[in-house]
Amino acid sequence: MPLAAILTASAFLAAPPAGAYTEDAVVAKVADGDSLYVKGARAPIRLIGVDTPEQETCGYDAAKKALTQIAGPKTRVRLSARDENSFAYGNGFRRPLRYVDNVKTKRDASLTLLEKGLGVFNNTVGEYDRELEYVQAAQRAAAARVGLFSPNRCGVGPAATLQIFAHYNAHLNDKQNMAGKWVRVVNRGAKTVDLNGWRLRPSNRKYYTFRNVVLAPQQSAVVHNGPGRSYMKDGDFHFYWGTKIDIPDPATSTFEAGSMFLQDPVQNFRAWTFWPCVIDCPTQQLVGKLQLFANWNNRDEYVEVINPTSEPVDASFLVLQTGPSVFEIPQGNLLAPGQSLRVWARPHGSDYTFDRGGQLFSRSGGEITLRGNDGVVVTDLRWIGPCSAQC
């Protein structure tokens, strides 16, 4: 079951199921903020669910100190995992992935680091028993601006007001359309911003560093997943990461939340986005303020996004999704009261199209969703059974 569907399920917070791997050990040495050695083991233990700064980077000392306080040398800890063979490569070792709990205090090392904002949540494939708790802790720390999320924690960086969005579901087949997943950086300020030396990073630290990019107010720099050649479109920069990065779709990835961070040249975390968002969600303010209408005529299929309220509503960067078809609403769509925008199934003399070659809607049943890039659903339209021309 996807994480987005079980955000309130208390069972998700339960301890690992019976039969999961568990052993007690004594800590020999803390290697860094998210790994430690236990007596009798050659390879270090890598903590599940958290990634802390590497040596000689901002935040490293604080994270290592915190882990030492929880599980320092001679501390008896309980190591556990859903799968005994879960591991990660790093620093020349095949490191076992484990939850690490202080036997005496019952403190979960990963959870404590996330609560203090000393690391970011890091997906661990197959190890999801505590994922919701970790996701909530990480997002709560960001909302409170503690630890890595503290303003100017690493020094005073350049003035900028930037926002990032993660387009985590590509149009049609995600595997075939790798570049259809991207991260957008938008200049929300009134002055230009020189992005030289700024970098994007997912939780696993596959950095993308901007070079020679200056953003005008409201201009975007979009970094697509995978390899490709840079270009300009509609006044925005488009770049490619150069390699495949982790931009998971929670609707299709079992228990897999995503996050993306923007760091300035002095390593401060200046903007971030989480999906599915559960704490301090930007799109939450739009819930209930827009409606959907669909025309099911096979030749002229379209979706309309309507503002039924008495106030303007900004629909910029919201995402329409029906089945595998995805359309991100371009910037600048501030809908006046009663105004609507139309997205066609196929090219129809409009730039707003799902660009489908065949039928967009199923008459037997389905759903159209309007959501934010943080996973928050603004509104949806569902149907069951056959429809007439318009439903």
Side-chain angles (χ1 to χ4, degrees):
M1 183 184 299
L3 174 63
I6 56 171
L7 292 177
T8 59
S10 59
F12 191 70
L13 303 180
Y21 172 78
T22 301
E23 72 165 313
D24 285 1
V26 176
V27 176
K29 181 177 71 172
V30 172
D32 54 30
D34 53 32
S35 58
L36 49 78
Y37 289 86
V38 296
K39 291 184 177 181
R42 177 176 175 272
I45 301 296
R46 178 67 166 80
L47 273 60
I48 290 174
V50 64
D51 183 78
T52 63
E54 293 300 293
Q55 193 168 6
E56 298 183 359
T57 62
C58 177
Y60 171 84
D61 291 336
K64 184 175 181 181
K65 180 179 178 181
L67 181 57
T68 301
Q69 291 173 340
I70 303 163
K74 300 182 180 181
T75 302
R76 190 168 187 81
V77 294
R78 181 152 297 154
L79 308 176
S80 59
R82 193 174 185 89
D83 181 358
E84 181 179 358
N85 294 315
S86 291
F87 68 92
Y89 284 110
N91 299 325
F93 288 102
R94 185 177 185 271
R95 301 178 294 174
L97 286 163
R98 301 289 184 260
Y99 296 109
V100 177
D101 297 288
N102 183 306
V103 171
K104 183 177 181 180
T105 65
K106 311 300 182 186
R107 293 173 74 189
D108 177 334
S110 296
L111 180 61
T112 302
L113 290 164
L114 291 169
E115 288 175 334
K116 294 177 179 293
L118 299 177
V120 300
F121 171 72
N122 187 29
N123 285 318
T124 303
V125 176
E127 297 292 343
Y128 49 73
D129 291 294
R130 306 185 192 183
E131 183 167 337
L132 178 57
E133 192 174 12
Y134 288 0
V135 165
Q136 290 174 325
Q139 294 187 23
R140 194 175 295 114
R145 305 296 194 271
V146 298
L148 295 172
F149 305 100
S150 303
N152 300 323
R153 176 183 177 87
C154 305
V156 178
T161 303
L162 300 166
Q163 186 175 8
I164 62 175
F165 300 85
H167 190 72
Y168 57 78
N169 186 6
H171 181 53
L172 301 180
N173 188 300
D174 284 17
K175 292 182 179 179
Q176 296 176 4
N177 185 17
M178 186 187 301
K181 292 189 175 190
W182 63 72
V183 181
R184 180 188 300 276
V185 179
V186 187
N187 179 6
R188 293 301 200 188
K191 297 182 179 180
T192 59
V193 175
D194 186 349
L195 281 183
N196 187 51
W198 292 66
R199 60 184 187 177
L200 286 166
R201 59 155 293 183
S203 59
N204 60 5
R205 285 183 276 111
K206 288 186 178 180
Y207 295 102
Y208 178 85
T209 303
F210 290 100
R211 302 296 183 196
N212 303 317
V213 183
V214 177
L215 286 185
Q218 304 310 312
Q219 190 176 24
S220 292
V222 181
V223 185
H224 297 264
N225 202 359
R229 297 184 65 179
S230 301
Y231 62 94
M232 294 287 295
K233 182 179 179 181
D234 299 329
D236 291 332
F237 296 94
H238 288 260
F239 305 104
Y240 287 81
W241 216 285
T243 186
K244 183 180 179 180
I245 61 167
D246 187 22
I247 307 180
D249 180 357
T252 57
S253 302
T254 304
F255 303 121
E256 197 164 340
S259 55
M260 189 67 61
F261 309 92
L262 178 65
Q263 292 180 276
D264 65 22
V266 296
Q267 301 181 24
N268 290 309
F269 281 52
R270 297 290 293 274
W272 48 83
T273 183
F274 303 100
W275 67 94
C277 180
V278 294
I279 306 289
D280 193 30
C281 307
T283 306
Q284 191 65 43
Q285 61 182 331
L286 298 180
V287 173
K289 292 186 178 181
L290 294 169
Q291 293 178 349
L292 295 178
F293 172 81
N295 185 330
W296 309 88
N297 185 294
N298 194 38
R299 291 187 176 181
D300 295 307
E301 293 175 299
Y302 63 78
V303 179
E304 276 190 342
V305 180
I306 307 166
N307 175 11
T309 73
S310 59
E311 300 291 336
V313 177
D314 191 354
S316 301
F317 307 131
L318 293 180
V319 177
L320 280 166
Q321 182 173 332
T322 178
S325 298
V326 178
F327 178 82
E328 184 191 55
I329 297 173
Q331 182 171 252
N333 278 285
L334 183 66
L335 301 183
Q339 187 180 5
S340 64
L341 66 84
R342 184 173 293 182
V343 182
W344 297 88
R346 290 167 287 282
H348 201 281
S350 167
D351 290 335
Y352 293 1
T353 171
F354 283 102
D355 199 20
R356 284 298 302 266
Q359 186 173 316
L360 180 64
F361 303 119
S362 169
R363 307 310 193 263
S364 63
E367 178 180 20
I368 307 167
T369 300
L370 179 67
R371 60 165 175 80
N373 278 283
D374 55 5
V376 173
V377 175
V378 174
T379 188
D380 59 13
L381 179 64
R382 303 181 184 186
W383 66 98
I384 300 176
C387 288
S388 58
Q390 296 180 343
C391 296

